[in-house]
Amino acid sequence: LLPGLSDAHCHMPCSATANALQHAMTDTDQQLTMRAVTAMRRALLAGTTTIRDIGSRNDVAFPVREAIKSGTIPGPRLLVSGQPITITAGHCWFFSSQADTTEGVVKAVRTQVRLGADLIKVMATGGMFTPTANPARPQYSTETLREAVEEAERVGIPIVAHTLAAEGVQRCVEAGVH
């Protein structure tokens, strides 16, 4: 017997193929939903009983979570962030809420909460997956990250961050990212 496994970092509609970026940028919500449903079934069959999806289009993440919850489709328990928050053309902009100011980031947090997010995801630095985002550069100031943390904490949900560079990690720690 194997205890249930947890996956704390998933993007359920992203394909594990050489053309994953092309799929993420050009597939319709329906195509991404079908890919997510297939991935969640496979994860459950592999013994994964809880998945934290920290970045998918809202029109994919929330309906898949609800379909699993209602028993319509098989899958593990899902905790979803919905759209991650990034700067314009920042890391994973093609399925993200793009916000360039502190006020915009706070509004994006509130939007994801209103839509039913279990947690918030912010892209604190660029990433390797996105050609327009420099993985070595921070995308948000410590103050902007702190405001996002405070807004998430106000409603009692955690906030997580994508970060690759030391300066991005430092800003997240100083801002209190969970």
Side-chain angles (χ1 to χ4, degrees):
L1 290 176
L2 178 71
L5 301 173
S6 295
D7 182 343
H9 187 150
C10 176
H11 303 280
M12 63 180 150
C14 290
S15 66
T17 63
N19 54 355
L21 178 60
Q22 180 183 352
H23 285 298
M25 293 179 76
T26 62
D27 281 2
T28 66
D29 286 345
Q30 292 81 10
Q31 289 169 308
L32 293 174
T33 299
M34 287 185 276
R35 194 180 319 285
V37 167
T38 299
M40 293 303 95
R41 181 178 180 278
R42 286 180 180 158
L44 184 63
L45 292 174
T48 304
T49 58
T50 302
I51 289 182
R52 186 174 72 166
D53 182 88
I54 52 176
S56 297
R57 290 184 195 160
N58 285 340
D59 290 338
V60 175
F62 296 121
V64 170
R65 180 189 63 190
E66 296 311 309
I68 290 171
K69 210 184 267 189
S70 70
T72 304
I73 61 172
R77 180 174 76 116
L78 283 178
L79 303 171
V80 300
S81 69
Q83 295 175 329
I85 302 165
T86 193
I87 61 172
T88 299
H91 186 45
C92 293
W93 62 266
F94 34 84
F95 59 74
S96 296
S97 296
Q98 295 180 62
D100 297 316
T101 65
T102 300
E103 295 77 21
V105 170
V106 170
K107 184 177 179 180
V109 169
R110 290 176 180 164
T111 297
Q112 294 310 301
V113 168
R114 179 178 49 81
L115 293 172
D118 300 300
L119 67 148
I120 299 299
K121 169 79 175 277
V122 64
M123 302 300 199
T125 68
M128 307 297 256
F129 191 60
T130 311
T132 57
N134 184 339
R137 305 253 347 249
Q139 295 192 151
Y140 291 115
S141 68
T142 303
E143 183 56 36
T144 296
L145 292 168
R146 185 175 295 117
E147 292 289 329
V149 168
E150 288 177 8
E151 189 58 28
E153 288 178 342
R154 184 184 66 79
V155 295
I157 65 172
I159 185 168
V160 300
H162 160 91
T163 183
L164 294 178
E167 187 176 351
V169 171
Q170 183 175 345
R171 289 181 185 190
C172 288
V173 169
E174 289 172 0
V177 171
H178 304 118

